[in-house]
mmCIF file of all heavy atoms in Angstrom:
data_model
loop_
_atom_site.group_PDB
_atom_site.id
_atom_site.type_symbol
_atom_site.label_atom_id
_atom_site.label_comp_id
_atom_site.label_asym_id
_atom_site.label_seq_id
_atom_site.Cartn_x
_atom_site.Cartn_y
_atom_site.Cartn_z
ATOM 1 N N ILE S 74 150.301 183.018 47.599
ATOM 2 C CA ILE S 74 149.126 182.173 47.786
ATOM 3 C C ILE S 74 149.178 180.983 46.839
ATOM 4 O O ILE S 74 148.869 179.858 47.229
ATOM 5 C CB ILE S 74 147.844 182.990 47.528
ATOM 6 C CG1 ILE S 74 147.743 184.110 48.560
ATOM 7 C CG2 ILE S 74 146.631 182.076 47.622
ATOM 8 C CD1 ILE S 74 146.545 185.021 48.366
ATOM 9 N N LYS S 75 149.605 181.248 45.633
ATOM 10 C CA LYS S 75 149.713 180.150 44.665
ATOM 11 C C LYS S 75 150.659 179.087 45.204
ATOM 12 O O LYS S 75 150.395 177.892 45.122
ATOM 13 C CB LYS S 75 150.250 180.666 43.337
ATOM 14 C CG LYS S 75 149.244 181.435 42.519
ATOM 15 C CD LYS S 75 149.864 181.762 41.165
ATOM 16 C CE LYS S 75 148.947 182.658 40.362
ATOM 17 N NZ LYS S 75 149.577 183.027 39.077
ATOM 18 N N GLU S 76 151.773 179.564 45.748
ATOM 19 C CA GLU S 76 152.753 178.618 46.286
ATOM 20 C C GLU S 76 152.179 177.827 47.430
ATOM 21 O O GLU S 76 152.409 176.628 47.551
ATOM 22 C CB GLU S 76 153.986 179.393 46.764
ATOM 23 C CG GLU S 76 154.767 179.958 45.611
ATOM 24 C CD GLU S 76 156.256 179.989 45.884
ATOM 25 O OE1 GLU S 76 156.714 179.221 46.761
ATOM 26 O OE2 GLU S 76 156.941 180.760 45.232
ATOM 27 N N ILE S 77 151.433 178.524 48.276
ATOM 28 C CA ILE S 77 150.848 177.836 49.428
ATOM 29 C C ILE S 77 149.968 176.688 48.949
ATOM 30 O O ILE S 77 150.046 175.573 49.462
ATOM 31 C CB ILE S 77 150.010 178.818 50.268
ATOM 32 C CG1 ILE S 77 150.938 179.797 50.974
ATOM 33 C CG2 ILE S 77 149.176 178.042 51.280
ATOM 34 C CD1 ILE S 77 150.216 180.865 51.775
ATOM 35 N N TYR S 78 149.134 176.971 47.942
ATOM 36 C CA TYR S 78 148.258 175.917 47.440
ATOM 37 C C TYR S 78 149.052 174.851 46.691
ATOM 38 O O TYR S 78 148.708 173.675 46.713
ATOM 39 C CB TYR S 78 147.181 176.514 46.536
ATOM 40 C CG TYR S 78 146.130 177.252 47.331
ATOM 41 C CD1 TYR S 78 145.679 178.503 46.962
ATOM 42 C CD2 TYR S 78 145.604 176.674 48.482
ATOM 43 C CE1 TYR S 78 144.716 179.188 47.704
ATOM 44 C CE2 TYR S 78 144.661 177.337 49.237
ATOM 45 C CZ TYR S 78 144.221 178.594 48.847
ATOM 46 O OH TYR S 78 143.290 179.252 49.595
ATOM 47 N N ALA S 79 150.113 175.289 46.040
ATOM 48 C CA ALA S 79 150.946 174.327 45.311
ATOM 49 C C ALA S 79 151.554 173.354 46.311
ATOM 50 O O ALA S 79 151.567 172.144 46.102
ATOM 51 C CB ALA S 79 152.047 175.067 44.571
ATOM 52 N N ARG S 80 152.017 173.911 47.433
ATOM 53 C CA ARG S 80 152.627 173.049 48.454
ATOM 54 C C ARG S 80 151.566 172.182 49.096
ATOM 55 O O ARG S 80 151.813 171.048 49.464
ATOM 56 C CB ARG S 80 153.269 173.912 49.519
ATOM 57 C CG ARG S 80 154.422 174.686 48.951
ATOM 58 C CD ARG S 80 155.104 175.489 50.021
ATOM 59 N NE ARG S 80 156.081 176.385 49.395
ATOM 60 C CZ ARG S 80 156.902 177.137 50.096
ATOM 61 N NH1 ARG S 80 156.844 177.092 51.405
ATOM 62 N NH2 ARG S 80 157.756 177.920 49.479
ATOM 63 N N GLN S 81 150.377 172.782 49.230
ATOM 64 C CA GLN S 81 149.292 172.026 49.860
ATOM 65 C C GLN S 81 149.030 170.790 48.993
ATOM 66 O O GLN S 81 148.803 169.709 49.502
ATOM 67 C CB GLN S 81 148.043 172.902 49.897
ATOM 68 C CG GLN S 81 147.179 172.651 51.107
ATOM 69 C CD GLN S 81 146.154 173.747 51.253
ATOM 70 O OE1 GLN S 81 145.188 173.807 50.502
ATOM 71 N NE2 GLN S 81 146.349 174.633 52.212
ATOM 72 N N LYS S 82 149.111 171.001 47.707
ATOM 73 C CA LYS S 82 148.864 169.904 46.784
ATOM 74 C C LYS S 82 149.991 168.883 46.901
ATOM 75 O O LYS S 82 149.755 167.690 46.966
ATOM 76 C CB LYS S 82 148.801 170.439 45.345
ATOM 77 C CG LYS S 82 148.421 169.359 44.350
ATOM 78 C CD LYS S 82 148.478 169.896 42.925
ATOM 79 C CE LYS S 82 148.175 168.791 41.933
ATOM 80 N NZ LYS S 82 148.346 169.261 40.540
ATOM 81 N N GLN S 83 151.202 169.416 46.956
ATOM 82 C CA GLN S 83 152.346 168.518 47.085
ATOM 83 C C GLN S 83 152.216 167.684 48.343
ATOM 84 O O GLN S 83 152.465 166.484 48.343
ATOM 85 C CB GLN S 83 153.635 169.327 47.181
ATOM 86 C CG GLN S 83 154.082 169.858 45.836
ATOM 87 C CD GLN S 83 155.389 170.635 45.949
ATOM 88 O OE1 GLN S 83 156.148 170.439 46.887
ATOM 89 N NE2 GLN S 83 155.613 171.512 44.993
ATOM 90 N N ARG S 84 151.816 168.355 49.415
ATOM 91 C CA ARG S 84 151.659 167.639 50.687
ATOM 92 C C ARG S 84 150.673 166.498 50.537
ATOM 93 O O ARG S 84 150.898 165.398 51.026
ATOM 94 C CB ARG S 84 151.131 168.593 51.751
ATOM 95 C CG ARG S 84 152.213 169.439 52.354
ATOM 96 C CD ARG S 84 151.690 170.037 53.646
ATOM 97 N NE ARG S 84 152.696 170.841 54.318
ATOM 98 C CZ ARG S 84 152.492 171.348 55.538
ATOM 99 N NH1 ARG S 84 151.336 171.140 56.150
ATOM 100 N NH2 ARG S 84 153.418 172.061 56.118
ATOM 101 N N ALA S 85 149.566 166.798 49.868
ATOM 102 C CA ALA S 85 148.543 165.770 49.693
ATOM 103 C C ALA S 85 149.135 164.565 48.979
ATOM 104 O O ALA S 85 148.859 163.420 49.333
ATOM 105 C CB ALA S 85 147.380 166.334 48.889
ATOM 106 N N GLU S 86 149.972 164.865 47.995
ATOM 107 C CA GLU S 86 150.584 163.772 47.244
ATOM 108 C C GLU S 86 151.645 163.094 48.089
ATOM 109 O O GLU S 86 151.777 161.873 48.087
ATOM 110 C CB GLU S 86 151.205 164.330 45.964
ATOM 111 C CG GLU S 86 150.145 164.970 45.069
ATOM 112 C CD GLU S 86 150.765 165.681 43.882
ATOM 113 O OE1 GLU S 86 151.972 165.986 43.931
ATOM 114 O OE2 GLU S 86 150.023 165.916 42.910
#
Side-chain angles (χ1 to χ4, degrees):
Chain S
I74 297 177
K75 285 186 186 177
E76 290 213 22
I77 290 177
Y78 286 134
R80 294 183 189 185
Q81 213 167 74
K82 185 185 177 185
Q83 283 181 23
R84 279 197 178 187
E86 299 173 341

